[in-house]
């Protein structure tokens, strides 16, 4: 379903979204591994901008975002931390806006995946580094709504280390005939804070290591 819908737009995938990267999230959906979604360039928003609340339910998640500076093509040899590192051009803070196209977010796993893993938009925030640094493996992350902290989180919620989420995706794409990752694509590695319900009129901020890196205001 995801492939068919993306193909119908005639637009390339510019953002790969990884979801269900924590054990509680996978348990909630009965999943044995993370899930993948895809977004076109039109779904990438600059930090400080506005986003429309199009669907009845909208959630905000603070995420480490990888920007790729080189391809990670299909390979007969599985990717590792060491082999994905040279392809990383930058590390950003970001906010993923998730929204179900159904009347509820209480979906079985198959519908969750068919619904693009609820991927709606990516707010691409400040560049935190030009390359991977070990501090990103265990960094405090907060998500705030109208200046009030709603959730204290950590990058460790993302498969224990967000870099491992990138490795997982690179291998998953190779194994599932997607052709691997391409230069200039972005990868949202998974929620560091869980899914925070948000609504029109609210401003959401994601802070990484105490730095406000991404912000978006929802409008009707």
């Amino acid at each position: 379903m995801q492939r068919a819908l993306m193909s119908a737009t005639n637009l390339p995938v510019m953002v790969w979204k990884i979801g269900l990267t924590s054990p509680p999230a996978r348990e909630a959906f009965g999943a044995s591994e993370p899930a993948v979604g895809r977004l076109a360039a039109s779904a990438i928003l600059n930090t400080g901008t506005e986003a429309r609340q199009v669907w009845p339910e909208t959630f905000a998640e603070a995420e480490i975002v990888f920007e790729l500076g080189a391809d990670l093509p299909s390979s007969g040899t599985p990717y590792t931390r060491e082999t994905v590192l040279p392809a990383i051009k930058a590390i950003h803070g970001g906010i993923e806006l998730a929204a179900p196209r159904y009347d509820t977010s209480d979906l079985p796993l198959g519908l969750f995946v068919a619904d693009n893993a609820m991927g709606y938009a990516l707010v691409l925030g400040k560049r935190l580094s030009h390359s991977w640094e070990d501090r990103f493996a265990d960094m405090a992350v907060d998500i705030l709504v109208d200046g009030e902290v709603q959730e204290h989180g950590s990058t460790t919620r993302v498969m224990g280390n967000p870099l491992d989420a990138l490795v997982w995706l690179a291998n998953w794409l190779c194994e599932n005939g997607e052709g691997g990752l391409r230069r200039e694509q972005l990868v949202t590695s998974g929620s560091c804070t869980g899914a925070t319900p948000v609504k029109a009129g609210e401003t959401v901020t994601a802070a990484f290591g105490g730095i406000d890196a991404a912000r978006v205001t929802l409008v009707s």
Side-chain angles (χ1 to χ4, degrees), residues 106-182:
D106 185 14
L107 301 172
L109 180 60
L111 288 184
F112 172 78
V113 173
D115 193 27
N116 201 35
M118 297 200 301
Y120 170 45
L122 166 65
V123 181
L124 184 62
K126 293 179 182 177
R127 183 175 58 209
L128 303 175
S129 174
H130 286 284
S131 60
W132 175 260
E133 299 174 10
D134 288 343
R135 63 190 177 104
F136 297 126
D138 187 2
M139 175 178 281
V141 182
D142 294 327
I143 197 155
L144 304 86
V145 176
D146 292 338
E148 298 291 330
V149 175
Q150 301 298 307
E151 184 75 30
H152 293 292
S154 170
T155 55
T156 60
R157 292 181 63 158
V158 182
M159 299 181 72
N161 183 333
L163 186 58
D164 289 336
L166 179 63
V167 172
W168 177 87
L169 177 65
N171 288 320
W172 185 91
L173 293 174
C174 294
E175 294 163 5
N176 287 274
E178 296 283 359
L181 287 161
R182 299 196 317 275

Side-chain angles (χ1 to χ4, degrees), residues 19 26 42 50 53 111 125 144 178 184 215:
R26 288 194 293 278
S42 57
E50 295 179 341
Q53 183 181 10
L111 288 184
L144 304 86
E178 296 283 359
E184 296 184 356
R215 186 177 76 258

Side-chain angles (χ1 to χ4, degrees), residues 190-206:
S191 179
C192 302
T193 54
T196 300
V198 291
K199 61 183 185 296
E202 294 180 331
T203 296
V204 183
T205 304

Side-chain angles (χ1 to χ4, degrees), residues 199-219:
K199 61 183 185 296
E202 294 180 331
T203 296
V204 183
T205 304
F208 295 79
I211 298 172
D212 290 351
R215 186 177 76 258
V216 64
T217 299
L218 272 73
V219 295

Side-chain angles (χ1 to χ4, degrees), residues 16-67:
W16 287 103
K17 158 198 163 62
I18 313 177
L20 310 185
T21 51
S22 69
R26 288 194 293 278
E27 289 169 8
F29 282 90
S32 59
E33 63 178 348
V36 171
R38 57 199 85 199
L39 298 171
S42 57
I44 303 172
L45 307 176
N46 291 324
T47 186
T49 192
E50 295 179 341
R52 289 187 300 153
Q53 183 181 10
V54 178
W55 310 102
E57 290 184 272
T58 304
F59 303 90
E61 302 178 349
E63 307 207 7
I64 288 286
V65 181
F66 294 94
E67 179 182 357

